[in-house]
Amino acid sequence: MAGRHSFELKDYREKILNGNLIQAMLLIALPVALNNIVQRFYDLADTWFATTIGSIEIASLTFAGPINQLIVSLANGLAIAGTAMMARKIGEDNRNAAKKICGQLLVIGLALGF
């Protein structure tokens, strides 16, 4: 199984470094775009359910929305920074350091998530 993951990482690396630039950008950007679309639908569903309760509840969502967006933006920044750090270590062929960074990011993410 480890060999399979190794092959997939090499395949993605090859696509990004030597493949079509548009396809490489889509390969990287598509998961982020899909995440943002799902988040917007989640916000719309919250608002729709709050409209069935009352105006105070809608106001509370309006107040909490920017705070939630700030937290999501900080989490995205942490994820981007961590991905860049891990990519650098993988590019240096230092998998142990990349695994250590991954573990630290998981601990930080779990700590901030609670």
Side-chain angles (χ1 to χ4, degrees):
M1 187 106 176
R4 181 175 167 198
H5 280 299
S6 173
F7 173 74
E8 290 175 2
L9 287 176
K10 287 180 183 177
D11 189 38
Y12 283 126
R13 181 182 172 134
E14 184 65 29
K15 284 181 184 178
I16 291 170
L17 294 177
N18 299 320
N20 184 342
L21 181 60
I22 301 297
Q23 288 178 344
M25 288 172 38
L26 287 175
L27 182 68
I28 294 170
L30 195 60
V32 176
L34 290 174
N35 178 45
N36 288 336
I37 290 169
V38 169
Q39 183 66 40
R40 295 298 77 80
F41 279 121
Y42 178 80
D43 293 343
L44 284 171
D46 272 351
T47 304
W48 184 78
F49 281 112
T51 60
T52 63
I53 301 171
S55 61
I56 294 174
E57 288 75 14
I58 295 172
S60 67
L61 284 177
T62 304
F63 176 76
I67 297 169
N68 181 39
Q69 198 61 30
L70 175 67
I71 293 169
V72 169
S73 296
L74 291 172
N76 284 339
L78 181 65
I80 291 167
T83 301
M85 290 170 55
M86 286 177 30
R88 183 174 179 185
K89 294 301 178 188
I90 290 171
E92 294 172 356
D93 203 24
N94 190 350
R95 301 245 182 225
N96 288 333
K99 288 178 183 179
K100 184 176 178 181
I101 291 170
C102 181
Q104 291 171 345
L105 287 170
L106 284 173
V107 170
I108 291 169
L110 288 172
L112 293 177
F114 292 110

